Amino acid sequence: MKIHFFLILLWKFVYCVSFFSFENRSESQKCELRHRGKNVKFPKQFLFGVSTAAYQIEGAWNEDGKSPSIWDTYTHLHPERIADHSNGDNAAESYHRFEQDLRALKELKVDFYRFSISWSRVLPKADTTSQSKKAIDYYNMVINTLLENNIQPMVTMFHYDMPDELSSFGGFTNDIIIKYFRFYADFLFKTFGDRVKKWITFNEPFDYCVPGYGNADFPPMVHAPGVADYLCLDNTLRAHASAFHLYKAKYFDSQKGKIGITISSRFYYNKNKESDEVVDRAMQYALGWLAHPIFGKSGNYPFIIIEDITSNSMREGLPWPRLKPFNFHWTKYIKGSADFLGLNYYTSRYVEIRDPPGGEIPSWEYDSRIKYSLDKKWKRAKSNWLYCVPNGLEDILRWIRDNYNNVEVYITENGWSDDGELVDLDRIGFLKAHLQAVLNALNDGCNVTHYSHWSLIDNFEWNMGFTEKFGLYYLNMTSRNKERVAKHSAHYYKSIIESRKIPSSDNFV
Ligand code: BGC
């Protein structure tokens, strides 16, 4: 009897504690942003879209002559590395179900659709000696159908899925990749460039170089931090510039398109409010590493990065720096090699100097000497790295305006993960706050012209498999037809696209 009474008391205590902590959490965790500036509407010429990537949605991993990409091989050999042991063999089956994607795109009334082309699907040997006619037909069908429906195609040429063929001789660490990518780009411009007017060479180099060639979290699982990941970034920048110049020299006159690169970055806030030097350091080590050579004045890596890595390399006893600055030829070639900056913005962090530096010696973590932290008030998504910080988007757009001569910015990704619920009020809150950030930045003179939400449909979230959903449309994975079902956020986004205004979150369905 006594034990029974005690258990009830204990239960009540636990219930009260958890209730109050939940209350505190929901009360203090915010995902909002106030309007600033005179315009409450997005300008007429501002374009709205949604994004996907080939490996995350297409499926059909070995059909019509497609050869494996590093993601096919990795997920097949290492299912234990994927949260739910899944892979992209079928994913959303978009290779066979584009009409279902199109229905969703039309329903949303987007101005453009950002998707990626699978390199090893169109060119199974990675070079142009063999071309898959059926794969080319598929992408032609996608592009033509989009245009018939007044939706502009925006094509990412490379979104993580390198042909396995190339990986066997070093992938991005072998500078022959520059040549391979140039020929692949030439093939894409020649085949699709009469209709595709917006090209993105690479998606998030930092996010495939550091996990792929630094800490071995992603394929090809090379563990050589502070060396191979830096080589990967270096060769990516040179391959990008090479494709850009090819386009300008050979295709621009007849095709008149734009070509850029997509870089992911968080914004950083000073934890100790002493000096803003740490913010600049963090920004240079994230966005600046790739953006500074292209959009900055020197055509080279940010000075602070060159300086740090040269002196760290000497201290480590190396006779050469682990990061070689670009020579005169390459600085001239890379500087200005983009018509726009593609920005993927998801979240932000607080920063302070880490003394002594952390991480392996050598590594990006060690070289950058930064300690990251969070704010308890930031609301967290399903992904453990994703916190809602909309002011970070406004601030990063301002930082780009001030540091890169107000270059044109396309926001190529921004999104929120959850369990895939149809009533996705948190995604609506995220979308609302981030579009408010874009509008505030526009009101403040930032040259941002496109916003693309990640993602159209729930899809394969890399190492997290299908456990984290980013879609505006729910994907019924267990049904035969894999229906795409509009979540509440899809209706909300559509209402913004139609009115070009941010409505309140409760009057849209
Ligand atoms: C990538 C996407 C990914 C998304 C959410 C971006 O960094 O480009 O492929 O699904 O983030 O993690």
Side-chain angles (χ1 to χ4, degrees):
M1 191 64 187
K2 263 190 192 155
I3 286 187
H4 186 71
F5 183 65
F6 174 74
L7 283 177
I8 288 177
L9 265 182
L10 185 69
W11 178 81
K12 282 200 167 165
F13 176 74
V14 170
Y15 177 81
C16 283
V17 168
S18 59
F19 178 78
F20 281 117
S21 55
F22 177 75
E23 280 292 280
N24 285 340
R25 203 180 131 211
S26 53
E27 217 172 75
S28 61
Q29 297 195 322
K30 294 233 160 62
C31 184
E32 299 167 354
L33 196 67
R34 257 203 265 138
H35 176 81
R36 256 181 296 182
K38 73 173 191 309
N39 297 317
V40 291
K41 272 191 146 182
F42 288 90
K44 256 207 212 98
Q45 64 282 9
F46 189 88
L47 301 181
F48 293 97
V50 281
S51 299
T52 60
Y55 185 73
Q56 295 178 275
I57 63 162
E58 281 180 359
W61 76 277
N62 60 356
E63 289 181 39
D64 299 339
K66 179 180 171 298
S67 71
S69 78
I70 53 174
W71 272 90
D72 292 310
T73 307
Y74 169 73
T75 52
H76 293 160
L77 293 179
H78 296 285
E80 77 286 354
R81 285 179 151 247
I82 312 298
D84 54 2
H85 296 194
S86 65
N87 54 49
D89 286 6
N90 302 308
E93 295 176 6
S94 290
Y95 189 66
H96 295 298
R97 297 182 182 279
F98 177 68
E99 77 287 355
Q100 286 171 247
D101 293 343
L102 180 72
R103 208 173 305 136
L105 292 164
K106 281 169 67 178
E107 218 166 69
L108 286 171
K109 297 210 162 74
V110 286
D111 301 302
F112 68 95
Y113 177 40
R114 174 183 177 236
F115 61 95
S116 80
I117 290 184
S118 157
W119 186 345
S120 66
R121 190 185 292 290
V122 286
L123 305 179
K125 288 192 174 150
D127 58 32
T128 42
T129 58
S130 82
Q131 305 182 2
S132 161
K133 176 157 180 338
K134 286 195 171 157
I136 295 170
D137 288 348
Y138 167 73
Y139 290 115
N140 270 327
M141 179 276 291
V142 170
I143 292 164
N144 293 342
T145 317
L146 288 172
L147 289 170
E148 280 157 24
N149 285 282
N150 251 331
I151 300 171
Q152 297 177 16
M154 181 188 284
V155 172
T156 313
M157 296 150 74
F158 180 89
H159 196 125
Y160 296 3
D161 50 351
M162 163 169 276
D164 214 18
E165 189 90 7
L166 294 182
S167 215
S168 52
F169 49 93
F172 276 104
T173 60
N174 183 340
D175 65 7
I176 201 166
I177 188 69
I178 301 168
K179 221 179 260 173
Y180 272 92
F181 188 74
R182 188 184 169 93
F183 277 87
Y184 169 53
D186 195 8
F187 158 81
L188 294 181
F189 300 147
K190 194 175 356 174
T191 316
F192 306 115
D194 55 335
R195 288 148 295 145
V196 173
K197 302 297 163 198
K198 284 166 189 172
W199 294 100
I200 292 163
T201 52
F202 292 97
N203 178 69
E204 302 187 337
F206 203 84
D207 299 72
Y208 60 76
C209 287
V210 176
Y213 299 87
N215 57 35
D217 265 356
F218 272 9
M221 294 201 297
V222 173
H223 183 263
V227 181
D229 42 2
Y230 295 179
L231 270 178
C232 169
L233 291 165
D234 192 272
N235 286 326
T236 296
L237 274 167
R238 293 192 287 155
H240 158 81
S242 178
F244 174 85
H245 288 292
L246 171 77
Y247 187 75
K248 292 291 169 180
K250 195 165 162 190
Y251 295 98
F252 179 75
D253 281 351
S254 58
Q255 301 188 352
K256 300 269 183 312
K258 285 192 174 189
I259 172 164
I261 183 168
T262 281
I263 306 172
S264 60
S265 184
R266 298 170 176 181
F267 191 70
Y268 298 104
Y269 292 98
N270 192 342
K271 170 110 188 201
N272 298 322
K273 311 253 173 326
E274 278 151 16
S275 112
D276 266 346
E277 237 171 77
V278 63
V279 171
D280 188 64
R281 157 175 284 274
M283 286 304 295
Q284 298 301 352
Y285 267 90
L287 183 65
W289 194 302
L290 290 145
H292 198 273
I294 301 174
F295 304 102
K297 291 202 180 85
S298 69
N300 222 321
Y301 295 114
F303 184 67
I304 191 171
I305 291 182
I306 298 178
E307 196 181 40
D308 284 350
I309 299 176
T310 306
S311 59
N312 284 351
S313 305
M314 279 168 68
R315 206 168 312 127
E316 288 150 26
L318 282 171
W320 61 81
R322 286 182 276 105
L323 180 77
K324 204 169 99 194
F326 293 116
N327 63 20
F328 181 68
H329 162 76
W330 282 106
T331 51
K332 259 185 63 190
Y333 200 62
I334 293 172
K335 187 177 162 184
S337 64
D339 296 315
F340 61 87
L341 191 167
L343 174 72
N344 286 357
Y345 174 83
Y346 284 87
T347 193
S348 287
R349 292 287 186 270
Y350 279 101
V351 285
E352 60 196 305
I353 292 288
R354 185 173 212 149
D355 197 12
E360 283 181 64
I361 304 176
S363 65
W364 178 85
E365 202 186 334
Y366 174 79
D367 288 329
S368 58
R369 272 196 290 137
I370 296 163
K371 189 170 162 198
Y372 299 92
S373 53
L374 298 159
D375 191 320
K376 278 200 215 89
K377 290 201 202 80
W378 295 341
K379 192 180 195 122
R380 206 195 103 177
K382 177 93 194 280
S383 312
N384 61 9
W385 51 270
L386 178 47
Y387 291 80
C388 180
V389 195
N391 44 311
L393 177 54
E394 199 180 319
D395 289 330
I396 200 171
L397 288 169
R398 247 184 242 120
W399 197 90
I400 292 170
R401 178 196 66 191
D402 299 343
N403 283 272
Y404 303 132
N405 199 22
N406 211 7
V407 59
E408 182 175 8
V409 177
Y410 295 4
I411 295 170
T412 42
E413 281 181 39
N414 171 241
W416 180 257
S417 61
D418 57 19
D419 286 308
E421 47 269 33
L422 291 180
V423 185
D424 52 342
L425 300 181
D426 286 346
R427 178 166 296 103
I428 289 173
F430 181 91
L431 190 51
K432 181 181 184 190
H434 285 78
L435 282 172
Q436 186 63 63
V438 177
L439 196 54
N440 291 353
L442 277 164
N443 278 336
D444 210 9
C446 297
N447 189 10
V448 48
T449 57
H450 294 59
Y451 172 89
S452 190
H453 194 76
W454 183 270
S455 177
L456 173 64
I457 43 179
D458 291 340
N459 58 50
F460 181 81
E461 178 53 19
W462 310 114
N463 279 355
M464 298 317 292
F466 294 99
T467 64
E468 294 176 3
K469 323 275 191 180
F470 278 88
L472 294 168
Y473 281 75
Y474 166 79
L475 186 77
N476 190 344
M477 292 289 291
T478 51
S479 83
R480 224 160 50 101
N481 293 327
K482 298 221 163 155
E483 302 90 13
R484 283 76 164 130
V485 184
K487 300 179 188 176
H488 274 40
S489 57
H491 298 290
Y492 184 73
Y493 191 34
K494 176 187 174 171
S495 73
I496 293 180
I497 296 173
E498 278 179 331
S499 66
R500 314 195 71 78
K501 261 170 70 175
I502 300 171
S504 74
S505 50
D506 36 26
N507 61 356
F508 54 90
V509 194

